[in-house]
Amino acid sequence: MKIIILSLVYRFVRFLVTKVLYLIQKFFFMKKDLEPAVKFGDNSLARLNILSGTLYEFEIPSNNGIEIYGMKFPSPLIGSSFKSDPNILDIWMKMGLGGLIFKTIMRNKRIGNPYPRLQDAYFNKKSGLFNSLGLPGMGVTDFLEYLKNTELWKYERPLGISIGGDDENEYLSNLLELDPFLKTNNKPYFYELNI
């Protein structure tokens, strides 16, 4: 029942927020941009997580776990390079992800592509999302500090590190900066190469 209620509330709020946002953007002759709605949603979800610690907690169904190269994922579903906010990632882990992959990390901080860069998309009467964020991120040195301090390790589920680069040397240098900590952290992790 909890899933049905939360799903209905989410759909209603998303519909309302996007319609109001698009109306404001049209009124001020701005290009359509979905990113402010996503940020509003993330901030609202994070506040609810802080206020209610249990709202998003769901039990992972038993007997759905998988093991890959010695890493145990309690669920085959993982979040893939979609968020960097620790509060939002915490919510997704509470909801039962078997693990997650952090947003792609590059050598230096990146602001990403110019706005607008996130749009609703429709194809054959089906809706989706067009993402052209351009790999915004904090840079590998700040990300290493983030990794050392994140509470996401408490879930004891594999965390994926997505490595990016403009050339093979950047991939290697990013990997070499992160790897010593990850090897001594004694928590399950894996790498993803974003090519």
Side-chain angles (χ1 to χ4, degrees), residues 9 12 37 40 53 57 65 83 89-90 93-94 114 140 164 166-167 183:
V9 168
F12 173 73
F40 172 80
E57 288 184 5
K83 296 285 180 188
L89 295 175
D90 183 63
M93 292 296 264
K94 283 181 180 178
V140 71
D166 290 324
D167 58 39
K183 282 183 177 171

Side-chain angles (χ1 to χ4, degrees), residues 66-131:
I66 58 170
E67 185 173 328
I68 301 172
Y69 295 107
M71 283 184 294
K72 295 180 180 168
F73 295 83
S75 164
L77 300 175
I78 65 169
S80 182
S81 302
F82 70 112
K83 296 285 180 188
S84 57
D85 182 323
N87 291 313
I88 299 302
L89 295 175
D90 183 63
I91 289 169
W92 282 95
M93 292 296 264
K94 283 181 180 178
M95 287 196 292
L97 287 180
L100 61 82
I101 303 172
F102 293 102
K103 286 184 72 146
T104 300
I105 200 67
M106 305 282 276
R107 161 70 33 217
N108 299 311
K109 180 178 180 177
R110 292 170 55 112
I111 59 170
N113 289 332
Y115 294 87
R117 57 194 190 174
L118 195 60
Q119 299 284 322
D120 282 318
Y122 301 93
F123 182 73
N124 289 338
K125 298 182 182 178
K126 298 200 182 217
S127 65
L129 198 62
F130 181 75
N131 170 345

Side-chain angles (χ1 to χ4, degrees), residues 150-167:
T150 185
E151 293 189 22
L152 295 170
W153 296 111
K154 72 184 176 188
Y155 290 99
E156 297 289 331
R157 298 180 207 156
L159 298 180
I161 315 303
S162 181
I163 303 285
D166 290 324
D167 58 39

Side-chain angles (χ1 to χ4, degrees), residues 48-60:
L48 285 172
N49 190 35
I50 291 166
L51 292 174
S52 161
T54 61
L55 179 65
Y56 303 110
E57 288 184 5
F58 292 89
E59 189 173 324
I60 298 174

